[in-house]
């Protein structure tokens, strides 16, 4: 097999949750740029419309639907609709997620990372906990389940979870529920991989480090935050959404056919330790 055909995704039917922005949009772009047919699902209608129109104007086969991953019926219907339209469902990115605000420290950067009362354990509200778990863990489960219903009968498919380096390394600027949700996602991914391996369906996770997206109100797009975070990164810069496209294409394509149950960190070396 030629190297180029190892990465061929032309004609694939693809769904991305949280596809209107950031990493989900980058996944969608990576696949659509390479000839896949892509459906972006998101709660943000304005951004969905804008990005879908932009990608279609480039000649790409991209459509979208407003879907909240907390709404099982709407999510199932959107997945069914895309699979019926494409006549196949090859790749599903279970990606939608939120950062609900600071944890027990109040900021990512600064001389001293001050403690934050609101995000501390004794004040952490049920409402916040449940919202994060419902989107970042339950939403990922619902997406994987909907994907399996279409992939199992065809005995092929790729389910790609977005976890985080927070799945295994605590980050006090994000908060407890995010840690629990991402660790839960990482282990759920392994269970899904084990269960579906016999059907030639793979499940893997992308665990990003610090990427400049709109998450958490867009703090990661602030040049001051990027410069400060860049200093602690072994590669001396934060991640940009384009940095994730190669891994997304690899995990979607024939190149990774025998790889399953793996969480791959993509973080510029952040979790290796402090270099400089
Ligand atoms: N940016 C980072 O540094 C980073 C690091 C590790 C993990 N992640 C993970 O990457 C994933 C994507 O985040 P991002 O950084 O691209 O953020 P983002 O905010 O740019 O994009 C997330 C998208 O998900 C959508 N969304 C939120 N709640 C939803 C819901 N209930 N149903 C459907 N869509 C919903 C948002 O509208 C948004 O378009 C998340 O799971 C996040 O936890 C991000």
């Amino acid at each position: 097999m030629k190297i180029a055909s190892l990465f061929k995704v032309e004609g694939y039917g693809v769904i991305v949750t949280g596809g209107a922005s950031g990493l989900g949009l980058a996944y969608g772009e990576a696949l659509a740029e390479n000839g896949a047919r892509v459906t972006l699902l998101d709660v943000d209608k304005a951004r969905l419309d804008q990005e879908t129109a932009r990608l279609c104007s480039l000649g790409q086969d991209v459509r979208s639907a407003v879907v909240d991953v907390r709404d099982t019926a709407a999510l199932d219907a959107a997945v069914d609709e895309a699979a019926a339209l494409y006549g196949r469902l090859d790749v599903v990115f279970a990606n939608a997620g939120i950062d609900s605000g600071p944890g027990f420290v109040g900021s990512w950067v600064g001389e001293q990372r001050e403690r934050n009362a609101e995000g501390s354990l004794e004040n952490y509200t049920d409402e916040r906990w449940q919202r994060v778990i419902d989107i970042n863990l339950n939403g990922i489960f619902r997406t994987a389940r909907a994907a399996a219903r279409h992939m199992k009968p065809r005995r092929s498919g790729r389910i790609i979870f977005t976890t985080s380096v927070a799945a295994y390394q605590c980050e006090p600027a994000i908060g407890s529920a995010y840690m629990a949700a991402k660790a839960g996602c990482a282990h759920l991914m392994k269970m899904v991989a084990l269960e579906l391996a016999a059907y030639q369906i793979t499940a893997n996770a992308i665990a990003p480090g610090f990427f400049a997206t709109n998450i958490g109100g867009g703090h990661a797009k602030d040049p001051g935050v990027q410069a400060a975070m860049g200093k602690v990164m072994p590669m001396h810069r934060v991640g940009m959404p384009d940095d994730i496209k190669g891994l997304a294409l690899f995990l979607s394509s024939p190149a990774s056919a025998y790889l399953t149950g793996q969480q791959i960190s993509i973080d510029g070396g952040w979790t290796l330790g402090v270099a400089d």
Side-chain angles (χ1 to χ4, degrees):
M1 194 182 245
K2 292 216 166 109
I3 290 295
S5 53
L6 275 177
F7 294 94
K8 213 169 162 213
V9 293
E10 208 176 334
Y12 276 22
V14 177
I15 294 174
V16 187
T17 70
S21 168
L23 304 181
L25 180 60
Y27 298 151
E29 286 174 339
L31 276 285
E33 277 164 17
N34 285 283
R37 309 180 71 190
V38 176
T39 294
L40 306 173
L41 306 179
D42 206 290
V43 285
D44 187 338
K45 183 173 174 2
R47 218 173 233 139
L48 265 186
D49 288 348
Q50 185 188 316
E51 296 299 344
T52 305
R54 180 178 65 81
L55 295 172
C56 287
S57 76
L58 300 172
Q60 294 168 14
D61 189 340
V62 177
R63 60 191 284 278
S64 59
V66 176
V67 171
D68 189 323
V69 295
R70 289 173 289 187
D71 182 343
T72 299
L75 179 63
D76 286 350
V79 172
D80 291 351
E81 193 182 315
L85 177 73
Y86 300 144
R88 57 195 288 177
L89 187 58
D90 301 281
V91 184
V92 171
F93 288 92
N95 166 75
I98 59 161
D99 163 6
S100 64
F104 75 79
V105 303
S107 68
W108 281 89
V109 293
E111 283 299 299
Q112 202 181 350
R113 296 177 76 188
E114 302 282 349
R115 291 268 170 164
N116 171 48
E118 200 186 312
S120 64
L121 185 57
E122 65 275 23
N123 297 324
Y124 209 97
T125 64
D126 283 354
E127 186 198 13
R128 182 174 173 191
W129 177 271
Q130 276 153 8
R131 181 160 167 262
V132 175
I133 296 295
D134 206 10
I135 297 173
N136 292 12
L137 179 58
N138 300 347
I140 297 277
F141 154 71
R142 293 182 192 104
T143 306
R145 177 178 61 188
R149 287 180 182 145
H150 290 277
M151 292 175 176
K152 225 169 145 178
R154 293 184 62 235
R155 302 180 83 84
S156 100
R158 303 292 170 85
I159 306 176
I160 303 169
F161 296 61
T162 306
T163 56
S164 167
V165 297
Y168 59 89
Q169 179 170 291
C170 292
E171 175 45 65
I174 308 182
S176 312
Y178 191 94
M179 303 300 115
K182 293 300 185 181
C185 270
H187 209 52
L188 171 66
M189 175 276 292
K190 286 176 184 270
M191 185 65 171
V192 170
L194 181 65
E195 181 174 347
L196 299 182
Y199 300 88
Q200 308 307 313
I201 298 164
T202 70
N204 291 290
I206 294 175
F210 192 96
F211 277 74
T213 69
N214 290 308
I215 200 157
H219 61 81
K221 286 192 168 168
D222 178 323
V225 172
Q226 288 182 7
M229 289 304 292
K231 280 190 186 146
V232 301
M233 298 288 169
M235 284 192 167
H236 298 163
R237 67 174 181 87
V238 301
M240 292 294 156
D242 275 356
D243 287 316
I244 217 145
K245 289 184 174 178
L247 181 54
L249 186 62
F250 169 65
L251 290 176
S252 301
S253 65
S256 63
Y258 201 54
L259 180 86
T260 196
Q262 303 306 309
Q263 174 168 256
I264 301 177
S265 296
I266 176 162
D267 65 355
W270 191 22
T271 52
L272 295 174
V274 179
D276 305 294

